[in-house]
């Protein structure tokens, strides 16, 4: 019977303390046969030949390397790893330092049945430029989406509208397996609210990205690594979900692996009908111009909207990794997403003068949207020589997306004091948006000695979107629908980014650093086609070019002592990043969210640039892990969304409010975050984090000063308890403190999630029940104040959700360690861990 890892480690520690004289080094590298992937935590045991007693040993590091010391003599050396065949070197007579070279371990098929799957761990790893959160089995997100899972990651928040923030900053770059992807919705987070949470293996929170990464995203990067089973043979899992309000889904992960290739796939189908509520209360002020008072048509307008959002979504991801040789492989994958959504809302609007209701209308809005997105990706990897860290990778990716939207809006009077009120126009909106993106990337890594590395690469991203927007309005005399030429338009937007980078990292003693420099050239082009006579076709066209240098510095210093089980480190990072305006932000033609509120892009919007410093600290005991950091960011030409009166009114005399993005002069942000993980017993695990930040903006627009200074914070706490009968109970609480923006004060938000699960069928299946937002308190509440109006807004996108799920696993007998070296997960090769 093989020694287990823990038994081997205990014997190693016991016997190694008995020998003081150790003057010969035995070293080598342990890898998996057929894939050349390093085996971390493989056990090396050295026994005496005479009496077969263990005298010393060791374990391999993250690169599969080991080194042990023994006195001169004759020994039997064995290398073991759970579920692999042991490799033995009999009668090794050692008189000088010995290198056993590369040791290949093959899977032991007979032992697989003895190993159970362990997917409980939720841990954090601190590396030079990121924190890696291994999601483990998060019960509260069972049956949920990727957005739900991200909302449980420290430093990350997902608001009620699905917008993702990192440390309170929404300008975060979302990557899938290290690259921009159609899975992330072409730069927005819509598709992330449709993909199943079970697809996530881990999340990399990269607040100080190295030069390898795209410089986009002033807040940093969230890199989502998807699960991919690597057990030999056919294996997988299937999950069924049902919930209230209406939520049903099925997802499957299937995998077939041989020594020569690996086939992997993920499928998901989801149906949901989520009710939402909105309440808006607006008080309008008198406008004074040249000493003349202009009174509003209505002093107060109060709206109550109830909506049902029907979502039907299907996605699939198919791929194959083929091992061309022991040193090279090629991976191809295809991702497809189809969404068919239908939203229906009823909006009751009450209008007041002198605190007396003078009019009540009911607006009906029907909106449908169809999304078709697919992505083709090819990855090639070549390793040179026996050092797997010396390699070349090349990537090609093509994405294509098409979104078709239709909105029908009709409003009728319920009550009015007008003697002969004019009927409302029926409006129809048609939107057809097509997107394409090509990505080319090449990365070369050259090890320089034992602990140093040089890396260089190129990345080219070429994206085009074409948005055809039409607004048809009813002619009240003829009943025909006529094109509104002042609003309808075709907007063609192109973003081309070419980048070169290089970086150098080394480690000496307890100190490691990674220095990098990235050069990016950005071209932003916009072309307008419009039938309005007010502008010519090229009056609003633009073609802007930017060249930028983006340095990165990441340092780490290990404080832990060699004879201590406590792990302790300090990290320091600096990076410069960019926030490029996207198509919607620069499209000058207004689009309507209602008759009285419009969104209008700003073609004069320039990119924002930020510089960030981050100081981090980690200390890990046997049962307790503490992480903390202090950060400072200074951003120039920061984006800010402002609201103003357009000076125009609807046919019934209501002022039309415009929201437009602008460049403010500067934005300073300083903050601190603390995280703690504590496992005092096998049946209890506690996890908490706290993030506090202060930001200050300065700038004015159209003569109005939008400067603001505010502090805010958010905190989360989760606990997992194993109850009698092996039932797991998980609680997760989140609170975001109030905050202030240039014109808006936002109230705090609290939510509490509960979940229970039980393993059944000999641990091959799991049943789970969870409640998201137990107290139904996850609501956005804000007050916006300008010179012309004050608006109170209360919005609840999704009400309390109850889900039940059933997961069945087959042939998943082996839970192996992470394999970050393959499948293009995009992590830096220099992972000097803290």
């Amino acid at each position: 019977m093989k020694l287990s890892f823990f038994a081997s480690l205990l014997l190693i520690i016991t016997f190694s303390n008995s020998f003081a004289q150790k003057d010969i080094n035995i070293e080598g590298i342990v890898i998996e046969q057929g894939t050349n992937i390093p085996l971390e935590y493989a056990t090396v045991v050295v026994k005496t030949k005479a009496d077969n007693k263990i005298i010393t040993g060791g374990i391999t590091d993250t690169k599969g390397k080991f080194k042990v010391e023994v006195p001169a003599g004759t020994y039997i050396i064995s290398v073991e790893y759970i579920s692999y065949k042991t490799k033995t070197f009999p009668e090794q007579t050692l008189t000088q330092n010995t290198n056993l070279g590369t040791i290949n371990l093959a899977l032991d098929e007979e032992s697989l049945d003895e190993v159970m799957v362990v997917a409980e761990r939720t841990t954090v790893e601190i590396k030079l430029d990121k924190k890696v959160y291994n999601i483990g089995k998060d019960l509260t997100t069972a049956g949920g989406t990727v957005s739900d899972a991200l909302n449980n990651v420290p430093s990350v928040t997902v608001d009620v509208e699905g917008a993702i923030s990192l440390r309170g900053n929404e300008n975060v770059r979302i990557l899938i397996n290290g690259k921009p992807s159609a899975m992330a919705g072409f730069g927005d987070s819509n598709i992330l609210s449709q993909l199943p949470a079970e697809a996530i293996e881990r999340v990399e929170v990269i607040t100080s990205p190295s030069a390898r990464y795209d410089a986009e995203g002033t807040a940093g990067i969230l890199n989502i690594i998807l699960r991919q089973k690597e057990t030999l043979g056919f294996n997988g899992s299937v999950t069924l979900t049902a919930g209230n309000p209406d939520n049903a889904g099925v997802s499957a992960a299937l995998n077939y692996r041989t020594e020569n290739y690996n086939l992997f796939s993920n499928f998901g189908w989801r149906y949901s009908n989520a009710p939402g509520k909105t309440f808006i209360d607006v008080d309008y002020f008198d406008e004074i111009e040249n000493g003349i008072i202009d009174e509003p048509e209505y002093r107060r307008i109060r709206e109550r909207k109830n909506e049902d959002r029907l979502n039907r979504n299907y996605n699939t991801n198919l791929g194959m990794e083929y091992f061309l040789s022991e040193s090279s492989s090629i991976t191809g994958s295809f991702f497809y997403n189809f969404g068919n959504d239908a939203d229906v809302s009823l909006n009751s609007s009450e209008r007041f003068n002198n605190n007396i209701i003078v009019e009540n209308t009911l607006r009906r809005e029907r909106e449908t949207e169809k999304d078709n997105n697919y992505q083709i990706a090819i990855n090639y990897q070549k390793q040179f020589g026996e050092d797997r860290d010396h390699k070349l990778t090349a990537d090609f990716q093509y994405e294509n997306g098409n979104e078709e939207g239709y909105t029908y809006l009709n409003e009728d009077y319920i009550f009015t004091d007008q003697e002969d009120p004019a009927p409302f126009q029926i409006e129809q909106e048609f939107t057809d948006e097509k997107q394409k993106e090509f990505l080319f990337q090449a990365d070369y890594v050259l090890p320089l000695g034992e602990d140093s590395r040089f890396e260089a690469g190129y990345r080219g991203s070429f994206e085009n979107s074409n948005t055809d927007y039409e607004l048809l309005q009813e002619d009240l005399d003829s009943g025909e629908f006529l094109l509104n030429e002042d609003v309808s338009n075709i907007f063609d937007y192109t973003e081309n980014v070419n980048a070169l980078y290089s970086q150098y990292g080394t480690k000496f003693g307890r100190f490691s650093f990674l220095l990098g420099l990235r050069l990016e050239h950005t071209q932003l082009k916009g072309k307008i086609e419009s039938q309005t006579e007010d502008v010519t076709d090229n009056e609003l066209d633009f073609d802007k070019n930017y060249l930028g240098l983006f340095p990165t510095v990441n340092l780490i210093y290990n404080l832990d002592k060699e004879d201590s089980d406590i792990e302790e480190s300090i990290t320091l990072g600096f990076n410069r990043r960019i926030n490029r305006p996207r198509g919607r932000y620069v499209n000058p033609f207004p689009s309507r969210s209602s008759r009285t509120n419009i969104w209008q892009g700003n073609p004069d919007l320039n990119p924002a640039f930020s510089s960030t410093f981050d100081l981090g600290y980690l200390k890990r005991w046997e049962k307790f892990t503490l992480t903390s950091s202090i950060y400072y960011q200074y951003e120039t030409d920061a984006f800010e969304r402002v609201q103003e009166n357009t000076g125009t009114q609807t046919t019934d005399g209501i002022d039309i409010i415009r929201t437009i993005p602008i460049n403010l002069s500067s934005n300073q942000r300083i903050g601190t975050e603390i995280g703690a993980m504590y496992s005092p017993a096998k049946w209890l695990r506690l996890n908490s984090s706290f993030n506090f930040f202060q930001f200050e903006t300065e700038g004015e627009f159209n003569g109005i000063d939008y400067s603001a200074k505010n502090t805010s914070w958010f905190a989360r706490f989760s606990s997992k308890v194993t109850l009698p009968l092996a039932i797991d109970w998980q609680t997760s609480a989140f609170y975001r403190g109030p905050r202030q923006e240039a014109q808006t004060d936002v109230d705090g938000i609290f939510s509490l999630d509960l979940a229970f699960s039980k393993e059944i069928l000999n641990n091959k299946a799991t049943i789970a029940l969870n409640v998201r937002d137990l107290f139904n308190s996850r609501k956005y509440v804000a007050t916006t104040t300008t010179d012309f109006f004050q608006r109170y807004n209360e919005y609840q996108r999704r009400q309390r959700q109850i889900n039940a799920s059933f997961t069945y696993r087959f042939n998943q007998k082996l839970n192996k360690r992470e394999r970050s070296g393959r499948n293009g997960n995009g992590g830096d090769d220099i992972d000097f861990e803290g």
Side-chain angles (χ1 to χ4, degrees), residues 171-173 213-218 220-221 495 520 577-582:
N171 185 227
V172 56
R173 181 70 156 166
Y213 293 101
D214 181 11
E216 173 72 28
T218 56
I221 294 172
E495 177 185 292
E520 288 193 351
R577 301 186 63 75
I578 185 174
N579 181 11
R580 303 180 183 95
R582 298 280 168 172

Side-chain angles (χ1 to χ4, degrees), residues 35 42 110 176 234 255 333 357 453 484 564 597 624 660 786:
T35 66
E110 295 180 358
I176 304 291
F234 181 65
N255 198 87
S333 64
I357 185 170
R453 199 163 315 188
N484 185 329
S564 174
N597 292 277
F624 184 79
I660 184 172
T786 73

Side-chain angles (χ1 to χ4, degrees), residues 83 115 185 261 501 520 756:
S83 300
V115 183
Y261 61 86
Y501 81 92
E520 288 193 351
F756 300 88

Side-chain angles (χ1 to χ4, degrees), residues 402-427:
N402 186 25
E403 177 184 303
E404 297 179 356
Y406 169 73
T407 302
Y408 178 90
L409 192 149
N410 183 29
E411 192 165 359
D412 294 312
Y413 291 101
I414 303 300
F415 162 78
T416 181
D417 64 353
Q418 300 183 52
E419 295 183 0
D420 187 19
F424 295 103
Q425 289 179 304
I426 298 176
E427 294 184 352

Side-chain angles (χ1 to χ4, degrees), residues 609-622:
F609 293 89
S610 71
S611 297
T612 304
F613 295 87
D614 190 300
L615 177 65
Y617 174 75
L618 165 77
K619 192 165 186 177
R620 195 196 315 266
W621 294 266
E622 181 182 358

